[in-house]
Amino acid sequence: MAKPQVLVIEDQKATAELIVDVLQESGYEVKVADNLEKGRASLGRGLPDILILDRNLPDGDGLTLCQELRQAERSKTLPLLILTAKKSVDDRVSGLKGGADDYLAKPFNTEELLARVEALLRRAGRADEPASDSAGEIRLERESRKAFLKNKEVPLSGKEFDLLWELISRKNRVLTRDYLLQHVWGYEGGLDLTTKVVDVTLSHLREKLGGAADMIVAVRGFGYRLDAK
């Protein structure tokens, strides 16, 4: 199977190298452009499977390119993740309204970056979703939406299953509350939400999974991670 192709348009060398290293280690083919002009040239030669685009570039705002891509027929559905040092809610919302599929503020957690790239590819149908996944004594079946603990079915609500699927399918990676709110509950990214729905749902999961739920750990200041060998 061909490696998913990623184009990164980022002018900060250290950030670009970090992204390249992380993505290549996870099996992606990565190209880098350090300004909009080079990025447009690369896109003109062929579209990647996903674009990671910095907003603050030497020759303009990456959001301009984002809007151009959304207006063109060939690239209007291209998965696009915006990176930026801007952290205000208004900046995040403007990026999403400008056509970005997702938004990640710098400095970012590399595991979160990987999770968001995978989610965008999956949403666009450019990544294969496994039929089942497991961690320790827990096994999930995606099509039937059934969960098993020691081969005995555990009744989960829809959101409990979705939350556990995200944690297991991205095991050993930290998933922020913002990520989980977007990909499990469908909230718009980057908003300052005070909802405790993640914590409440996770509490219900722990009750149903018993000791097996000890694999799910809270990472202070970031979110949650499911630790599994």
Side-chain angles (χ1 to χ4, degrees), residues 14 34 58 114-115 181 214:
D34 60 9
L114 278 171
L181 286 170
D214 291 344

Side-chain angles (χ1 to χ4, degrees), residues 133-144:
D133 209 339
S134 62
E137 299 172 330
I138 305 170
R139 177 170 54 87
L140 300 181
E141 294 183 354
R142 182 168 58 89
E143 294 298 328
S144 64

Side-chain angles (χ1 to χ4, degrees), residues 69-104:
L69 293 170
R70 291 302 179 239
Q71 292 169 3
E73 185 66 27
R74 68 188 286 265
S75 57
K76 67 180 182 181
T77 61
L78 173 67
L80 198 159
L81 171 64
I82 280 189
L83 297 178
T84 183
K86 298 179 179 180
K87 297 183 180 180
S88 74
V89 172
D90 288 344
D91 287 322
R92 295 186 182 207
V93 172
S94 69
L96 294 168
K97 287 185 175 179
D101 295 297
D102 205 349
Y103 197 106
L104 192 58

Side-chain angles (χ1 to χ4, degrees), residues 177-178 181 187 190-200:
R177 291 179 73 257
D178 184 67
L181 286 170
Y187 283 88
L191 300 182
D192 185 16
L193 297 169
T194 58
T195 177
K196 298 294 184 181
V197 67
V198 176
D199 311 273
V200 171

